[in-house]
Amino acid sequence: MSTREEAARAVPDAPDERGWITRAVWLGLAVAGAALVALVIAMFAGGAATPRIIPGLPDEGAVTRWGLPVAKLTMDAAGVVTVGTLLAAAFFFPVDKGLLGKSALGYVRAASWSALVWAGAAAATMVFTLSEVLGLPVADVLGGDELTSFASQVSQGIALTLVVLFGVAIALFARGAITAGTAAGLLVLALVTMLPPALTGHSASSPNHDLATSGVALHLLALALWVGGLAALCVHALRRRPQLEIAAARFSAMALWCYVAVGLSGLFSVIARLTSVSELFTSAYGLLLVAKTVAFALLGVFGWWHRKRTVPGLAGGGRGGFARFASVELLVMFATVGLAVALGRTAPPPAVLPVDRAFEALGFTMPPEISVANLATLWWFDLFFATVAAVLGGLYLAGVVRLRRRGDSWSWGRTASWFLGVLILVLSTQSGVARYAKVLFSAHMAEHMTLSMLVPILLVLGAPVTLALRALKPAARRGDRGPREWLTTILHSRYVRFVAHPGIATAIFIVSFYALYFTPLFPAAMEEHLGHIAMTLHFLISGSLFFWVIIGVDPAPHRLPHFAKLLLLFVTMPFHAFFGIALMSMGTVLAPDWYEQLGRAWGTSALADQRTGGAITWGFGEIPTLLVLLALGFQWWRDDDRKARRNDRRADAVAARTGGTGDAELDAYNDYLARLNRQDRAAESE
């Protein structure tokens, strides 16, 4: 036996550089081969590889026909690898006071290279996409001027341009990243970069484009974390580096939730694209979905086996079995990615849609005239905010249950306030209010004021951060970061200290109204589903930030005296009244193109409805102001009561120690009277 083999046997975790590189190369080739084979088979099965070419019409040629899906597959795979390496660097391995360890630093550096490949593949995808759109060979596209216009003016080109720019930015910043916070920030940027190309495909043109868009976004994010995380974990196992059992345990806890998210989001995407179950078996698009579903079920079996067998066996040194099983799972995963790319190249079954301008813009037909009954019955499922509400309610309930099981108490008032806020959030985004908010400006303003001024008050009074800090356990290793440490780090970050400053939070809360509605941002947000999501989410976050400063129970970077909070409230509220008056006084309609294209034939005119929206804005502030005043008055009284009891306890302690009353001023006055009494007695005795 050679000296090298003896050393490897003596130290099982010692890395074998040549050996692991060879194994990693073979694994990479196998994964790429599986993805390409799945892509080719699916392209032929779906008909994308053999399109009908009509003589006389432009034809982009076989180079584009195959180069586009291969470039897109490379782009998606590089994006997944970038997400996985950054995820591993930020969360899989223990850190020392925020600094990345040796293994984590290696994965950040790997992310910089994969991000460059990501950007390059996106640039190639852009060229091939334009070739397909124009029906010209690649050489003609590269020699013309159309590429610049496509990259800056067409939605597909803009999306790919963003991938190129963000990919290069990730590559540059990853070269100098040494902290877990920086790696986590780059991970967020990588996840955002995954979205633009997919959201300009079939999802944007499906009958229920709102549901399809949200479903694709959630599907992509969960899939990137799941597949990318497993890829990084598999490479770590092949490298035979230490701390594999820690990384595997952390990935396993995340993978289950990713699996659930991928399954549910995929189901909603299918519902949005197909009009009947029979289309799953009677169309090429449906058959590819069935194949993808089978692969998804197989991955569920793999995940179950990992949790039951291979992950627990790592503590006993079962690295080889884990690496082999994870490699097979990774092959299936990337074959599924190949299927997904081919699915994107396959046209969904044609849907019979009503000839209605409103349906094309809204995703549903124009609702009947607004009434209380219609608001209560015409529900509209918004996947994004349904997910937000489920996460908010589920995490809070999990925290309360953990405290109760531990024997600790938690205020029922805070719990009721939180879940009442979640309930109103659901009613505002899922009921008939959500439908009419896209049709009537008055309903939109009612939804806006509810989400920015009522829901945040109830959520802030629920003290979610305090609950999380009490329910989450500290990290097992000193200096490491678990969920509790990450939450604490975010609360003490410079960004949170900046936005949570009373002046900044108030400015965001006030300026948002004027900056949104009196600029082109409002019509742009109404035209796109993602813009509408961003607008609604901003209402919720800006309101929560402001009321956290005013009546927040949770710890905050800046604490104001109660009188200053009261003054800030009274200074802020008139700006909303002025905004409402401005809307009521306007002679032109905001976002006129949006409301005109809907063709609403009932109710008042758009200008009259806008004035009604202004009146709602002007009068709505009274109820939230009253709630804030009650909460602030109660907190003020509680704070004074706590101070009085604290002073009483201090006085009792001093009295027990000195024999006095415990009140320094009263004891000094009694001593003064005693001295006078002694002086009088001395004078009398003389």
Side-chain angles (χ1 to χ4, degrees), residues 293-362:
T293 303
V294 172
F296 175 75
L298 182 60
L299 289 174
V301 175
F302 279 117
W304 174 83
W305 187 269
H306 269 306
R307 292 176 67 89
K308 294 296 183 181
R309 299 295 179 88
T310 60
V311 173
L314 287 175
R319 291 172 173 264
F322 176 85
R324 288 190 295 271
F325 199 77
S327 299
V328 175
E329 184 179 6
L330 199 62
L331 290 175
V332 178
M333 280 186 170
F334 274 89
T336 307
V337 173
L339 280 175
V341 172
L343 194 64
R345 303 286 303 153
T346 305
V352 180
L353 303 178
V355 182
D356 185 5
R357 291 180 297 172
F359 187 89
E360 294 178 1
L362 301 172

Side-chain angles (χ1 to χ4, degrees), residues 19 47 276 348 563:
S276 65
F563 179 76

Side-chain angles (χ1 to χ4, degrees), residues 226 321 436 553 575:
W226 184 25
Y436 286 99
V553 182
F575 285 95

